[in-house]
Amino acid sequence: MTLRTLDRAAVVIVDMQNGFCHPEGSFGRAGADVSGCGAAAPACEELVRIGHEAGVPVVWTRAIHENDLSDWRMLTEVPMYQGLIGIGSCVEGTWDAEFFAPLAPAATDLVVSKSRFSPFVETDIAERLRALGVENLLVGGVGTSACVESTVRDASQRDFRTYVVAEATGDISPAAHEHSLHVMGALFGWTVSIEDVRAAAAA
């Protein structure tokens, strides 16, 4: 389905935080190359601007964890996350958990905190979106193959149409990023460009 209009749409920006996007954030300090995540920021910024100018809701999700990651057992058991334990990865009130500059929610935007990859787990985001009359989600953020894809999968199974804005997404793995964009665009919604969003906003 082509993105033709922003009617009944909302912009969703997933986890554009220092911990994932800044080289001095927790993922960078744990050894990950976060340049692909940080590179998504300009398109995310434009996506937010388009949303604000079009008068559609803008939603920001943010990962918030305990310092020992005890709020989600999987993070303490999967080897990939061992380097994050005890270094303050997205702990509430820390710089690591803050949004990656120059990205920042406006006073009227909705901010949803989560401890899982998907904001549709253990939050009221679906109900809040439906209360706003939202049916279509324009999604950007990080990481493409983890939190973004989890968000898109869960949103689609709750009857939201999902449009993943390719330039506004990023991952620590370029291969995983490309594969995930293909999976989301083939099975759970549509992959679009920021130019597609500009055109829909102008329609």
Side-chain angles (χ1 to χ4, degrees):
M1 179 178 293
T2 303
L3 180 64
R4 299 186 184 278
T5 175
L6 298 192
D7 183 49
R8 296 186 176 275
V11 169
V12 179
I13 302 297
V14 179
D15 298 2
M16 290 297 292
Q17 295 163 266
N18 289 325
F20 307 120
C21 299
H22 197 288
E24 295 178 10
S26 53
F27 270 64
R29 287 184 284 123
D33 178 1
V34 299
S35 58
C37 295
C44 282
E45 188 175 20
E46 181 169 5
L47 182 56
V48 168
R49 179 189 60 77
I50 293 170
H52 286 154
E53 290 180 356
V56 305
V58 176
V59 182
W60 303 73
T61 77
R62 61 183 197 130
I64 296 295
H65 295 294
E66 298 296 327
N67 190 42
D68 60 1
L69 305 184
S70 60
D71 48 293
W72 189 7
R73 186 176 64 187
M74 185 201 77
L75 297 182
T76 68
E77 296 177 347
V78 174
M80 177 179 177
Y81 305 109
Q82 296 304 297
L84 298 172
I85 296 174
I87 67 169
S89 182
C90 293
V91 173
E92 182 72 277
T94 65
W95 171 86
D96 204 72
E98 292 176 2
F99 291 106
F100 181 56
L103 297 170
T108 55
D109 292 348
L110 173 64
V111 178
V112 176
S113 299
K114 62 188 181 67
S115 63
R116 301 297 192 266
F117 287 167
S118 168
F120 288 92
V121 176
E122 299 177 352
T123 82
D124 62 352
I125 187 174
E127 292 75 16
R128 297 179 78 171
L129 288 169
R130 290 195 180 100
L132 293 169
V134 171
E135 297 179 1
N136 309 306
L137 304 182
L138 309 175
V139 184
V142 297
T144 315
S145 61
C147 296
V148 173
E149 185 170 322
S150 295
T151 298
V152 167
R153 284 172 177 260
D154 280 358
S156 70
Q157 293 176 82
R158 288 163 174 80
D159 278 339
F160 294 100
R161 298 185 191 92
T162 59
Y163 297 89
V164 182
V165 185
E167 301 97 322
T169 61
D171 204 290
I172 60 176
S173 165
H177 169 75
E178 293 299 331
H179 177 72
S180 186
L181 286 177
H182 172 73
V183 168
M184 289 186 287
L187 299 177
F188 299 103
W190 298 268
T191 302
V192 299
S193 68
I194 194 69
E195 183 56 40
D196 293 329
V197 180
R198 289 193 204 105

